[in-house]
Amino acid sequence: MKIIVLIVGLAIIGFIGWWFFGKHTTEEVAADVQDQQQEIDIEVNGGYSPETVVLKQGVPAILNFTRKDASSCLDRVVFSDFGINQELPRNQKEAITIDTTTPGEYQWACGMDMFHGKLIIK
Ligand SMILES: [Cu+2]
């Protein structure tokens, strides 16, 4: 009996570790640059994929958000540094234009500031 408790305990600890630390190894994805414009598709489903987007400074950028998630939590996306608060209708591609003149790291978030993504302009 004790061994089962031990195994279950270890499994839970392993799961918690994976949940907290596994998610932080996020992929950085660069937008596709073409004809003085860059574009990237971002899927919204229980978070953002990709979660970290790299944009080239000085090239006009379009982020195409498609929300697949049914929850109202993710039905808005907010780029506070850019004054953007955009509704994301479900299963519809929403293009968001980002001004890339100033390099730096910027956060974006869902309407309630629970889910986050990162924009790196360099
Ligand atoms: Cu939310």
Side-chain angles (χ1 to χ4, degrees):
M1 195 57 206
K2 267 184 181 168
I3 191 84
I4 293 168
V5 173
L6 184 69
I7 289 167
V8 170
L10 286 174
I12 291 170
I13 289 164
F15 177 76
I16 291 169
W18 167 81
W19 183 258
F20 279 101
F21 302 110
K23 274 192 154 179
H24 289 290
T25 54
T26 53
E27 18 139 35
E28 266 185 24
V29 181
D32 289 328
V33 183
Q34 238 172 28
D35 302 326
Q36 280 310 295
Q37 186 178 293
Q38 54 189 330
E39 220 173 305
I40 188 161
D41 292 334
I42 298 166
E43 192 181 289
V44 183
N45 203 349
Y48 301 101
S49 172
E51 213 171 79
T52 303
V53 171
V54 180
L55 299 177
K56 217 171 167 186
Q57 191 206 345
V59 179
I62 295 168
L63 310 181
N64 294 312
F65 279 86
T66 306
R67 175 168 71 97
K68 305 238 168 106
D69 201 300
S71 83
S72 62
C73 172
L74 290 153
D75 68 0
R76 298 198 80 87
V77 66
V78 180
F79 290 81
S80 51
D81 300 299
F82 298 90
I84 295 167
N85 185 332
Q86 175 81 42
E87 196 182 340
L88 300 176
R90 200 171 168 211
N91 293 322
Q92 204 174 299
K93 208 190 231 188
E94 248 346 271
I96 293 174
T97 308
I98 297 290
D99 177 4
T100 60
T101 43
T102 315
E105 290 193 7
Y106 307 92
Q107 297 274 342
W108 80 74
C110 72
M112 300 145 200
D113 206 25
M114 291 151 62
F115 288 96
H116 301 97
K118 203 205 297 179
L119 216 53
I120 301 170
I121 299 173
K122 62 182 181 187

